[in-house]
């Protein structure tokens, strides 16, 4: 749950009056009331809803953030999410709910969980997770904000298990089940986002709650025999100094061989564990791969794993508060994450909505054992329409080729690049580099030796606007080092947008394998998968010229060396039916 001073101050300064419509926020946050602005001239693309996505999950209006309690029940997928029923800014948070047969098309259901219990959630209903109990019965643990503004953990159960859409939820009357007390040293202002629970070899349930003590991030452990009485563990499952508050922890087993997923309680040989935390201070989801001692209830990150911001991330762009679930229908683990806006709060209010969910990703352990791989769920390919296919061809230095024949603003494109000549590489001399800084310094318009080459997405006719997603290959300590960038510096002429450039290193060697790049483009989103899912970067952009049928898509090379396109496949993407 992204409840931060940043969000609060944003709200404070933002206009909460839009014409005659008053967006009132919960009184307990003391942040609504007398702020007024005269509505400014509306940006045409905002009014036309040009930025509304075609196949990403978003409700018709208002604010959304964290995905909550994803699961599959009787063949129906469930997605709950943090939602403000009253406006396009954060506040009044409840659990909204949608269901689907394929993770692509969604039907809106009634709000599932909303404030009702004085002692447990009267102020708001924040993030949490679903657990499927033996016998197939789903339950939800979530964070409530109680009448004292304390964060506590609560239980909710479906009212009617014969209803596969689980439209109604009832709360356990004895909520809360976990709370700060004078003796347990828990900070009730930093105690939230229960994980999916898992059973140890002793059949006792375990769950993690995100927290912190000073600058140390914590995954607090609780245990229960009956899912109702929870006892604080002696120690957190894991903690890391200097990482700040851990939000939305996620803890799950992965197979060391193959891409099949495992139930959260699965154990055995050939199993490793992943612990993901969302860093409240920097808004990044980082993870480590390690082992889990279920007797001592201790998670041990693997050798070389880095804790915190410079560690591994699911996504090196905009992607936060993510959560996985085990898809027992398809034997895979699926990742959901929230993509927030890059626009100003005023623009969000005028659009009338804010936030979308990323395309669900299948995730599994890479055969190196050192990182996860991610790939858009297969089902999304059903939306592919008109296809463009290129035979292998050479992309000369300083050139660009337009991809004609697809709807450039709503597309799926994948290209394989081969580099035959790796002799003349730029050399990285320092011991360590921050990939994001490197991408910011060496943007698409900085010529290089091998690279930048990749896509110009959301490009305007005159190339005054484009979002470039590209590779650049360096030599570092006598090895090839592959950098993937999503460069937003020219994404929009609107100066109020956030245009941060993102970057990641991709663990591939272009001497031995092709460099693949796939981007899912969706009207204001570019989700890019480098190295067949080894590094992912999501960008949110709002061009002013490159909108609707004015959007173009190019493959470009701004390096000196030529690059071979060994294949190119691109598709127009159809609209999904969402809510
Ligand atoms: C429970 O759900 C089933 C299936 O939707 C429905 O037929 C039944 O009437 C529901 N029972 C109650 C008590 O609402
Ligand atoms: C409790 O958490 C809040 C919010 O993160 C923080 O401002 C406060 O300093 C914490 N208190 C202690 C004693 O750590
Ligand atoms: C959302 O976007 C803004 C600006 O684009 C960024 O600074 C902020 O950290 C983001 N928040 C979250 C929770 O991702
Ligand atoms: C979703 O809806 C679209 C539009 O009706 C349809 O073409 C598609 O087959 C449906 N399912 C999937 C998985 O795309
Ligand atoms: C390629 O580099 C040139 C020279 O730096 C620059 O003017 C041009 O804008 C670049 N092309 C792209 C697509 O950035």
């Amino acid at each position: 749950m992204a409840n931060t001073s940043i969000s609060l101050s944003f709200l404070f300064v933002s206009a909460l009056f839009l014409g005659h419509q008053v967006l009132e926020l919960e009184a307990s946050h003391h942040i609504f009331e007398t702020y007024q602005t005269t509505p400014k001239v509306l940006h045409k693309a905002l009014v036309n809803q040009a930025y509304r996505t075609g196949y990403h999950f978003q409700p018709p209006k208002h604010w959304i953030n964290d995905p909550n309690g994803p699961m599959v029940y009787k063949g129906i997928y469930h997605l709950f999410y943090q939602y403000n029923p009253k406006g396009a800014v954060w506040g009044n948070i409840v659990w909204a709910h949608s269901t689907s047969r394929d993770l692509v098309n969604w039907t809106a259901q009634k709000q599932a969980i909303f404030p009702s219990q004085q002692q447990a959630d009267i102020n708001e209903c924040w993030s949490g997770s679903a657990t499927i109990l033996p016998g197939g019965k789903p339950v939800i643990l979530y964070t409530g904000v109680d009448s004292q503004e304390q964060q506590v953990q609560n239980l909710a159960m479906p009212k009617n298990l014969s209803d596969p859409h689980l439209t109604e939820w009832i709360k356990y009357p004895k909520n809360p089940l976990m709370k700060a007390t004078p003796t347990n040293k828990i900070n009730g202002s930093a105690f939230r986002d229960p994980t999916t629970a898992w059973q140890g070899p002793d059949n006792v349930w375990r769950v993690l709650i995100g927290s912190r003590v000073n600058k140390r991030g914590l995954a607090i452990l609780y245990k229960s025999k009956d899912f109702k009485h929870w006892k604080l563990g002696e120690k957190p499952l894991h903690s890391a100094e200097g990482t700040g508050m851990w939000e939305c922890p996620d803890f799950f087993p992965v197979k060391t061989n193959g891409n099949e997923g495992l139930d959260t309680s699965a154990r055995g040989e050939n199993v490793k564990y992943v612990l993901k935390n969302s860093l409240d201070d920097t808004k990044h989801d980082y993870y480590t791969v390690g082992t889990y001692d279920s007797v001592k209830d201790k998670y041990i990150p693997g050798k070389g794993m880095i804790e915190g911001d410079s560690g591994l991330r699911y996504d090196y762009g905009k992607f936060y508060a993510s959560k996985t679930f085990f898809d027992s229908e398809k034997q895979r683990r699926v990742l959901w994450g929230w993509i927030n806006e890059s626009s100003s709060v005023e623009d969000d209010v005028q659009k009338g909505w804010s936030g979308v969910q990323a395309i669900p990703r299948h995730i599994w352990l890479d055969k190196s054992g050192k990182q996860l791989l991610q790939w858009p769920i297969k089902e999304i390919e059903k939306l592919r329409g008109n296809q463009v296919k290129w035979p292998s061809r050479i992309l000369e230095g300083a050139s660009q080729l337009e991809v004609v024949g697809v709807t450039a603003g709503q597309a799926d494109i994948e290209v394989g690049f081969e580099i035959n000549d790796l002799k003349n590489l730029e050399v990285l001399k320092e011991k360590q580099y921050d990939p994001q800084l490197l991408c910011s310094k060496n943007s698409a318009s900085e010529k290089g030796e091998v690279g930048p080459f990749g896509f110009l997405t959301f490009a305007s006719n005159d190339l005054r606007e484009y979002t470039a997603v590209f590779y650049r290959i360096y030599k570092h300590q006598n090895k090839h080092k592959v950098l993937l960038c999503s460069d937003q510096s020219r994404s929009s002429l609107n100066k109020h947008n956030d245009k941060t450039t993102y970057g990641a290193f991709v663990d591939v060697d272009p001497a031995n394998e092709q460099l693949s790049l796939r981007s899912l483009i969706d009207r204001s989103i570019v989700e890019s998968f480098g190295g067949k899912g080894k590094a992912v970067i999501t960008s949110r952009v709002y061009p002013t010229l490159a909108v609707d049928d004015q959007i173009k898509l190019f493959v470009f090379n701004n390096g000196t060396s030529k690059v071979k396109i060994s294949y190119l496949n691109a598709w127009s993407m159809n609209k999904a039916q969402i809510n």
Side-chain angles (χ1 to χ4, degrees):
M1 171 70 219
N3 165 38
T4 66
S5 52
I6 296 178
S7 344
L8 292 181
S9 60
F10 254 149
L11 296 182
F12 198 73
V13 296
S14 72
L16 297 177
F17 283 69
L18 171 63
H20 299 292
Q21 189 197 354
V22 181
L23 304 173
E24 276 206 6
L25 295 166
E26 191 95 2
S28 60
H29 290 281
H30 312 294
I31 44 176
F32 62 104
E33 66 210 275
T34 56
Y35 282 83
Q36 293 192 55
T37 56
T38 320
K40 60 179 181 182
V41 178
L42 300 182
H43 187 316
K44 216 170 91 204
L46 292 176
V47 182
N48 294 345
Q49 296 286 312
Y51 306 130
R52 246 193 106 76
T53 56
Y55 58 96
H56 280 73
F57 182 92
Q58 66 178 131
K61 55 183 181 178
H62 298 332
W63 167 275
I64 77 169
N65 54 304
D66 313 2
N68 291 154
M71 65 170 150
V72 61
Y73 179 67
K74 292 188 193 260
I76 302 285
Y77 292 100
H78 291 255
L79 176 67
F80 305 85
Y81 54 96
Q82 297 278 287
Y83 181 61
N84 178 356
K86 296 184 182 166
V89 293
W90 185 81
N92 313 304
I93 295 294
V94 301
W95 280 45
H97 181 200
S98 290
T99 55
S100 169
R101 290 189 181 277
D102 52 25
L103 290 167
V104 173
N105 297 324
W106 292 88
T107 307
Q109 303 294 349
K110 284 192 284 204
Q111 282 172 25
I113 301 176
F114 42 85
S116 68
Q117 291 180 318
Q118 197 66 28
Q119 79 285 3
D121 69 5
I122 200 66
N123 272 314
E124 276 180 323
C125 296
W126 289 356
S127 288
S129 306
T131 302
I132 310 285
L133 300 181
K137 184 187 166 192
V139 292
I140 282 171
L141 287 170
Y142 69 98
T143 299
V145 183
D146 73 8
S147 56
Q148 306 299 306
E149 296 284 343
Q150 293 291 290
Q151 297 161 23
V152 298
Q153 317 312 323
N154 303 320
L155 177 65
M157 292 155 289
K159 191 166 179 190
N160 179 2
L161 285 168
S162 311
D163 166 18
H165 294 283
L166 302 173
T167 51
E168 284 190 74
W169 289 77
I170 44 177
K171 293 176 191 171
Y172 184 53
K174 291 187 186 149
N175 282 338
L177 306 180
M178 302 165 224
K179 61 187 271 193
T181 65
T183 50
N184 68 13
K185 294 195 181 141
I186 288 172
N187 179 349
S189 302
F191 182 50
R192 53 186 181 264
D193 310 335
T195 61
T196 294
W198 73 96
Q199 261 178 318
D202 52 6
N203 285 334
V204 173
W205 289 100
R206 286 131 166 103
V207 73
L208 302 178
I209 321 290
S211 186
R212 73 172 176 112
V213 172
N214 301 318
K215 278 275 160 200
R216 176 176 285 274
L218 302 183
I220 294 180
L221 179 75
Y222 272 85
K223 294 197 201 184
S224 174
K225 289 193 176 126
D226 61 2
F227 229 88
K228 289 174 178 155
H229 301 88
W230 291 88
K231 204 168 158 250
L232 181 61
E234 277 163 35
K235 282 189 179 155
L237 184 89
H238 190 60
S239 71
E241 188 50 49
T243 54
M245 174 70 193
W246 285 0
E247 295 193 296
C248 304
D250 196 19
F251 183 60
F252 54 90
V254 284
K255 287 182 73 165
T256 53
N257 49 351
N259 66 5
E260 259 180 31
L262 291 169
D263 179 83
T264 310
S265 292
R267 287 182 298 274
E269 296 191 6
N270 307 322
V271 172
K272 285 196 178 180
Y273 284 80
V274 172
L275 177 64
K276 183 279 300 189
N277 290 297
S278 301
L279 298 173
D280 195 18
D281 290 357
T282 55
K283 303 293 177 214
H284 294 145
D285 280 17
Y286 92 97
Y287 70 90
T288 53
V289 182
T291 52
Y292 165 49
D293 181 334
S294 60
V295 176
K296 289 188 188 142
D297 272 314
K298 210 174 151 187
Y299 168 74
I300 304 130
K303 206 167 150 256
M305 290 287 152
I306 297 167
E307 300 277 3
D309 231 18
S310 41
L312 294 165
R313 291 191 214 157
Y314 283 155
D315 193 302
Y316 294 82
K318 262 180 189 273
F319 187 88
Y320 192 67
S322 65
K323 191 178 295 300
T324 63
F325 74 102
F326 173 59
D327 177 358
S328 53
E329 295 281 315
K330 298 256 164 89
Q331 305 299 314
R332 63 185 169 181
R333 189 160 280 273
V334 175
L335 171 69
W336 280 102
W338 164 48
I339 305 172
N340 81 336
E341 302 296 309
S342 302
S343 42
S344 66
V345 176
E346 287 82 354
D347 282 359
D348 294 345
V349 170
Q350 290 188 346
K351 282 184 299 208
W353 47 265
S354 176
V356 307
Q357 304 296 342
I359 297 301
R361 302 173 187 171
H362 175 194
I363 62 168
W364 68 99
L365 190 66
D366 179 46
K367 58 182 186 302
S368 70
K370 291 194 292 197
Q371 68 161 108
L372 295 170
L373 296 178
Q374 305 174 62
W375 203 244
I377 50 151
K378 184 112 183 93
E379 288 88 330
I380 207 73
E381 295 171 18
K382 268 219 169 145
L383 294 177
R384 286 172 172 174
N386 196 42
Q387 181 179 9
V388 168
K389 224 178 144 105
W390 286 0
S392 139
R393 67 200 280 182
I394 297 296
L395 187 60
E396 298 291 342
S399 74
Q400 64 216 25
L401 300 169
E402 187 177 351
V403 182
V404 183
V406 296
T407 312
Q410 204 169 298
D412 182 355
I413 178 170
E414 190 178 12
V415 173
F417 296 103
E418 269 173 49
I419 300 98
N420 293 325
D421 186 0
L422 287 162
K423 283 195 288 290
N424 297 319
L425 293 179
E426 295 162 79
V427 179
L428 295 176
K429 297 201 181 85
E430 321 264 314
K431 191 154 171 258
Q432 271 183 339
Y433 285 87
D434 174 341
Q436 183 169 3
L437 277 181
L438 210 51
C439 287
S440 311
K441 253 191 262 163
N442 297 325
S443 68
S445 52
E446 291 297 317
K447 280 185 181 301
E449 288 295 336
V450 181
F453 60 86
F455 308 148
L456 300 180
T457 67
F458 294 108
S460 62
N461 275 312
D462 57 5
L463 288 185
R464 277 205 291 160
E465 287 181 337
Y466 56 81
T467 299
V469 184
F470 60 84
Y471 283 115
R472 219 179 245 273
I473 301 167
Y474 295 95
K475 188 156 240 176
H476 183 236
Q477 299 175 337
N478 279 319
K479 288 199 184 115
H480 299 137
K481 189 96 174 163
V482 175
L483 181 69
L484 177 66
C485 304
S486 187
D487 172 8
Q488 297 184 184
S489 56
R490 299 201 186 184
S491 61
S492 174
L493 297 179
N494 180 345
K495 61 179 189 313
H496 299 297
N497 292 334
D498 171 31
K499 288 176 209 158
T500 307
T501 285
Y502 305 112
F505 289 119
V506 194
D507 186 18
V508 289
D509 187 346
N512 307 327
E513 54 192 307
Q514 284 185 20
L515 279 180
S516 80
L517 181 59
R518 178 176 177 193
S519 288
L520 294 173
I521 300 166
D522 191 6
R523 298 172 66 100
S524 54
I525 287 188
V526 192
E527 271 182 87
S528 302
F529 295 77
K532 288 277 176 210
K534 282 187 168 168
V536 188
I537 305 182
T538 298
S539 289
R540 196 77 206 271
V541 297
Y542 315 93
T544 60
L545 306 171
V547 289
D548 298 325
D549 57 358
Q550 298 301 304
I551 305 171
K552 294 193 175 263
L553 175 62
F554 296 89
V555 180
F556 83 107
N557 178 9
N558 226 356
T560 311
S561 299
K562 59 185 173 210
V563 169
K564 185 171 148 194
I565 297 175
S566 45
Y567 66 91
L568 177 149
N569 282 305
W571 296 264
S572 297
M573 289 294 272
N574 291 318
K575 209 168 150 44
Q577 293 183 341
I578 296 176
N579 288 327

